[in-house]
Amino acid sequence: MTSNTAGGPTRRERMRAETIAEIKASARRQLQEHGPSGISLRAIAREVGVTPAALYRYFDNLDALLIATCCDLYDELIAETRKAMDAFPPDAHLERMKSWIWAFRAWAVGNRREFELMISYPEANSAMSINGVRLEQAPENVDPVTMKSLEHSQLCGREMAAFYRKTENGELPPAGPVEMPEISEGLQDELMDKCSAFIVGEPLPLSWIFTFTSAWVRVFGLVVMEAFGSLPVQDNVDEFYKTQILAMIREFGIDG
Amino acid sequence: MTSNTAGGPTRRERMRAETIAEIKASARRQLQEHGPSGISLRAIAREVGVTPAALYRYFDNLDALLIATCCDLYDELIAETRKAMDAFPPDAHLERMKSWIWAFRAWAVGNRREFELMISYPEANSAMSINGVRLEQAPENVDPVTMKSLEHSQLCGREMAAFYRKTENGELPPAGPVEMPEISEGLQDELMDKCSAFIVGEPLPLSWIFTFTSAWVRVFGLVVMEAFGSLPVQDNVDEFYKTQILAMIREFGIDG
DNA sequence: ATCATTTAGCTAACGCCGTTTACTCTAATG
DNA sequence: CATTAGAGTAAACGGCGTTAGCTAAATGAT
């Protein structure tokens, strides 16, 4: 019914996929030119050469189109950072993580408007409150953009976990993470639950989880601030970022 | 011409100020309810009980109204953090800075939508590029929201400078900031220029500037991430923030 | 007190926007 | 070949920011 006897996509299906791609391409062009709030359904229709109402054959509404665009962008970001990691051998964990950190920032800076859309998506489009998306839910019920965002962080998180495992095995010299302030049981549980399960992917010692979240917050914070133009430097941002990351790595004491 | 012989504000001026306040109050109400992009000029007019066109007697356009609102919000934030600092004696620099850090986050979390507007303002409303606002310009030419943002950061920056001066005088035990990675001359100059002149307010040693910017980036990053719902925790955010700040202060070695 | 001027507000319109409804035509299906 | 599902259109609705031209009231000067 949805495909012919040969099993390949129908002619109609091919046409449809092509149109969808064209719509998304137009949306992205407008995103780059006019920012997240400058994406107009009517303008897309104009560019694609079609009536505004026709777009509703492909997306339920503008929101759905933005969400789909967000997901595509995450896929692109994930592919890019994965490629950067894979430039190093599988056991060069530290190099791979550093490469990821740099590639993340590079993509975000090279695709500012896109990144803005990705991080400002929840409040802009979701009817849920800002804390409405709760990771405790079954993965199917979490909105797709949040899922993609998790996938993105997992790429680095799992590398960290692999690194930990090797230091535990003795394959690598023991690298103690930072000493940790006292943490209440509630926060401990939440860190273990959320981060261990959703980001790192396997149970890690609390000190490692704490280190990972600390690093995550610093890296992500830097990138977001740069995207929003809130950094205290403007000309030497590349070096500033690198310097901050370097200082962080040294503080964690996991690198010579 | 603009005021009567007694020197006080004219009746008309009082009425006008009152109307402006009413408009702003309505704008803020909508901001809180519907977020930054949900502020509608027509809805404000409806609420104030006036025709949409009438609002143009008070603000050039919606943008100008948003900018004015932003400035008011910064004033509120600055007043709040200043009050928190002044809860400690003038020479308790560390306590004052910690109090500032906590009050900043508390205000941002207690006024989420407002904070979103403040940090996402530049891209949304300015015709300039995201890096268009350059601090080298004369202060009058910098857009008012950026000026307020600077004023906000200066509140903490000057405290840091005062702290440094006392350690230099010998009034306080010498507190060395973190060891610093190698920094190119270009970045050094920029840090000294921008941060020293605009944030801290007086020339400080590079190592202190570096420490301040590092701390700034971490604090601001945390707050922005929380505002955007990007933190890796959701239930114990208060403690998470406090823990991160505590770890940071320890790393800087300026506190027992 | 009278007149000129400034000012606040109105009405009406323009051109955008997202979205819905009802209709047409065309291409695939049985 | 008849039927049906899909892609597309035209027209409308209500909302938006903004502008132009008008009215009436408050103000300041004579």
Side-chain angles (χ1 to χ4, degrees), chain A residues 11-12 39-43 46 52-53 56-57 61-62:
Chain A
R11 199 189 91 95
R12 273 233 274 244
I39 301 179
S40 149
L41 208 134
R42 289 184 113 103
R46 247 176 273 130
Y56 285 80
R57 297 269 170 212
N61 46 41
L62 179 58

Side-chain angles (χ1 to χ4, degrees), chain A residues 136-150:
Chain A
E136 288 89 356
Q137 310 182 43
E140 308 83 57
N141 299 340
V142 178
D143 79 289
V145 178
T146 302
M147 285 307 293
K148 290 286 180 184
S149 160
L150 279 176

